[in-house]
Amino acid sequence: MINLCDLGQVFLFCGGRKDRFKALYWDGQGYWLLYKRFENGKMSWPQNQNEVQALSSEQVDWLMKGFPINPKIKNTKARSFY
């Protein structure tokens, strides 16, 4: 069970379009509700309950800037120069 009154926890929610999200934060006296909408592009967001995960502060920063939280590195073949 999730406790929404844990200090320091931020809960993120995303709609179906994946171009906006809301953050819910409890500061001990009340809730903060933050809203962000991207002008261009969409977020990488979990598709189901099994993909939900806790994020580091760095991953939250990436998400708020529009980057994926798990960057993928493309594998390429090494070229020989000689």
Side-chain angles (χ1 to χ4, degrees):
M1 181 85 183
I2 297 174
N3 184 1
L4 294 177
C5 294
D6 285 343
L7 285 174
Q9 299 292 319
V10 176
F11 298 92
L12 302 174
F13 304 91
C14 178
R17 288 188 249 173
K18 298 182 183 173
D19 65 344
R20 59 196 78 192
F21 69 93
K22 295 175 185 158
L24 188 63
Y25 172 73
W26 172 257
D27 69 0
Q29 297 179 356
Y31 286 102
W32 286 81
L33 179 63
L34 307 166
Y35 179 82
K36 173 133 183 163
R37 182 175 72 90
F38 292 101
E39 293 294 325
N40 298 308
K42 296 182 181 209
M43 294 182 279
S44 170
W45 200 261
Q47 298 296 316
N48 57 50
Q49 185 69 25
N50 295 332
E51 294 180 6
V52 173
Q53 60 181 307
L55 303 178
S56 68
S57 59
E58 184 177 42
Q59 288 173 315
V60 171
D61 185 51
W62 293 342
L63 184 66
M64 291 188 180
K65 291 177 179 172
F67 297 112
I69 57 172
N70 295 318
K72 306 236 189 276
I73 298 174
K74 183 178 177 182
N75 291 330
T76 61
K77 293 181 181 179
R79 295 183 285 168
S80 60
F81 293 102
Y82 303 104

